[in-house]
């Protein structure tokens, strides 16, 4: 079970007399491990949902959403939808609506903390020294090159063709690629995205490994 | 993209989510579009209004996505232009610069020695780091004189004043850094000056002139006279360049030395790519 799930389990148990979260885990998987993975997936999707809807602090509302679902389960509600996330999504929309209303009422909506990493005072992207920043970027570039080299030739070409270029030329190139490959553009988009996700994970892992000792 | 930029009504958002959240592929596609939106932002393809909207909706953790997108763009551009780059041939020419340089050697020598004498001792890894903490330029010293060709704007190539933010870069001769492409130099927005330390491979003269050229072979800056100095890496020559001269793009630093009949001979070329941030 993931550390986060353990923390959540203990926290939610305390507030919901334990029952709701246990029911949630039972719902999500046949064992704790699978349930933990599914829980993380739902949590990650909820973060995206709140982010896409423009809420500046998604994690707060994710916790609130999960709490509410657990409460409902503890009170005997049964989730009938085949994909549990859709149930969470329904609850999340209510949580978000209430959050906007509360914010509107307290007149703080105009300056929600944490919006925009480029703003001063932002706590998740503190200003860094220009030279350090340049070194970090150079390290990222080098890691990315190495990770790209580790991809297969087909995947390298996919990344280069799909993400290389910009503007209208890029759109046309993607359309042609989809035609050549005989797949819909959406399928091509997802295919490229999956490789990109692996690439990004490879870079982050390499940066973590090299942190503090990376030498160019 | 309109959904991700908050341009849809609540009802439209609900409809889109119903359609996309119900399947794994649908959700993944939204994530893929989100990455492409980030790419468009990094590439400058968004309208000013959408750019602001994008920035206002960034939350914790997303700066990493922006940085990745920026890196991917740089690396792909690098690779795509590698063939074209291989075709770029830097002009090799002989320039009758020696008489003027010889006259300036004596004048500048005193200042240059003063500069070297007052320079703090280099850390052991100085030659291996691409960037360095800001250093001050001794104002009393007279560094080698950068000369801007008449076609360029006045003031370009000036040596920054004290307390300037200096980026130190060590370059080895050659058109490519390795098989992955040109040596990249990320110049932060706050940098005032870049000091290129060129490693001199062959035995030969000890006085040089450097010419900075862009990818088209246009001279941007001339710095002379230059004197080599000995370091743990061997013999090197320092070239100070005002950061404002270096926009995004590919460059070549040509190191020349006095040749026969007062003509300059190309000794080595140092190619690099500048990425401004």
């Amino acid at each position: 079970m993931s550390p986060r799930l353990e923390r959540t389990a203990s926290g939610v148990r305390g507030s919901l007399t334990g029952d709701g979260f246990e029911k949630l885990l039972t719902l999500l998987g046949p064992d704790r491990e699978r349930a933990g993975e599914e829980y993380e997936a739902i949590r990650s999707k909820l973060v995206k949902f709140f982010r896409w809807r423009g809420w500046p602090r998604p994690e707060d509302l994710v916790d609130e959403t999960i709490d509410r679902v657990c409460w409902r389960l503890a009170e005997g509600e049964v989730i009938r939808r085949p994909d549990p996330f859709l149930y969470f999504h329904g609850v999340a929309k209510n949580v978000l609506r209430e959050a906007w209303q509360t914010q509107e009422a307290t007149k703080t909506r105009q300056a929600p903390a944490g919006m925009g990493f480029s703003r001063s005072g932002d706590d998740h992207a503190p200003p860094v020294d220009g030279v350090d920043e340049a070194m970090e970027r150079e390290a990222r570039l080098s890691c990315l090159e190495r990770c790209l080299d580790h991809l297969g030739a087909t995947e390298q070409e996919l990344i280069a063709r799909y993400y290389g270029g910009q503007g209208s030329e890029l759109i046309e190139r993607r359309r042609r690629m989809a035609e050549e490959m005989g797949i819909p553009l959406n399928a091509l988009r997802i295919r490229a995205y999956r490789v990109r996700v692996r690439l990004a994970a490879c870079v982050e892992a390499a940066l973590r490994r090299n942190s503090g000792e990376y030498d160019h | 993209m309109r959904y991700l930029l908050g341009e849809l009504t609540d009802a439209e958002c609900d409809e889109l989510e119903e359609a996309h959240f119900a399947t794994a592929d649908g959700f993944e596609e939204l994530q893929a579009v989100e990455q492409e939106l980030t790419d468009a932002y990094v590439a400058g393809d968004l309208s000013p209004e959408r750019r602001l909207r994008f920035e206002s909706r960034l939350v914790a953790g997303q700066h990493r996505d922006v940085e990745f997108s920026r890196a991917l763009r740089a690396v792909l551009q690098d690779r795509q232009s590698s063939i074209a780059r291989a075709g770029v041939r830097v002009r090799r020419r002989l320039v009758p610069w020696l008489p003027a340089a010889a006259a300036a050697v004596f004048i500048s020598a005193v200042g240059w020695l003063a500069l070297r004498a007052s320079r703090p001792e280099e850390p052991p890894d100085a030659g291996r780091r691409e960037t360095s903490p800001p250093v001050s330029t001794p104002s009393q010293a007279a560094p080698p004189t950068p000369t801007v060709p008449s076609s360029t704007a006045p003031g370009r190539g000036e040596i920054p004043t004290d307390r300037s933010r200096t980026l130190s870069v060590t370059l080895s001769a050659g058109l490519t850094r390795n098989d992955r492409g040109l040596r990249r130099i990320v110049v932060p927005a706050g940098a005032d000056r870049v000091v290129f330390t060129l490693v001199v491979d062959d035995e030969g003269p000890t006085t040089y002139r450097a010419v900075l050229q862009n990818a088209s072979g246009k001279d941007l800056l001339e710095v002379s006279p230059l004197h080599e100095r000995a370091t743990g890496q061997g013999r090197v020559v320092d070239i100070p360049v005002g950061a404002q001269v270096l926009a995004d793009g590919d460059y070549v630093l040509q190191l020349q030395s006095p040749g026969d009949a007062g003509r300059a001979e190309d000794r080595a070329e140092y190619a690099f790519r500048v990425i401004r941030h």
Side-chain angles (χ1 to χ4, degrees), chain B residues 100-113 142-143 145 225 227:
Chain B
V105 164
F106 180 77
I107 298 169
S108 300
V110 175
W112 181 237
L113 287 171
T145 310
H227 302 275

Side-chain angles (χ1 to χ4, degrees), chain A residues 48 51-53 89 115-117 129 135 137 141 145 149 162 166-167 186 189 194 196 215, chain B residues 14 17 28-29 34 36 39 45 56-59 67 70 73 79 128 131 165 180 184:
Chain A
K48 294 269 185 184
R51 197 167 92 188
W52 291 340
R53 285 292 192 110
H89 176 229
M115 284 185 79
F117 76 94
D129 176 78
M135 290 179 69
R137 282 177 174 147
L141 286 169
E145 282 187 334
D149 288 342
Y162 190 84
Q166 66 185 91
N186 286 354
R189 168 178 280 150
R194 286 175 181 164
R196 179 177 177 142
D215 179 27
Chain B
D14 288 346
E17 286 165 1
E28 215 171 1
E29 188 186 350
E34 185 183 33
E36 290 171 21
D39 291 343
D45 285 343
S56 73
R57 292 168 71 86
L58 283 169
V59 299
E67 286 305 320
R70 196 169 276 152
R73 176 176 159 79
R79 294 188 171 201
R128 296 168 59 201
T131 55
R165 296 175 62 80
R180 289 197 295 266
R184 282 189 309 271

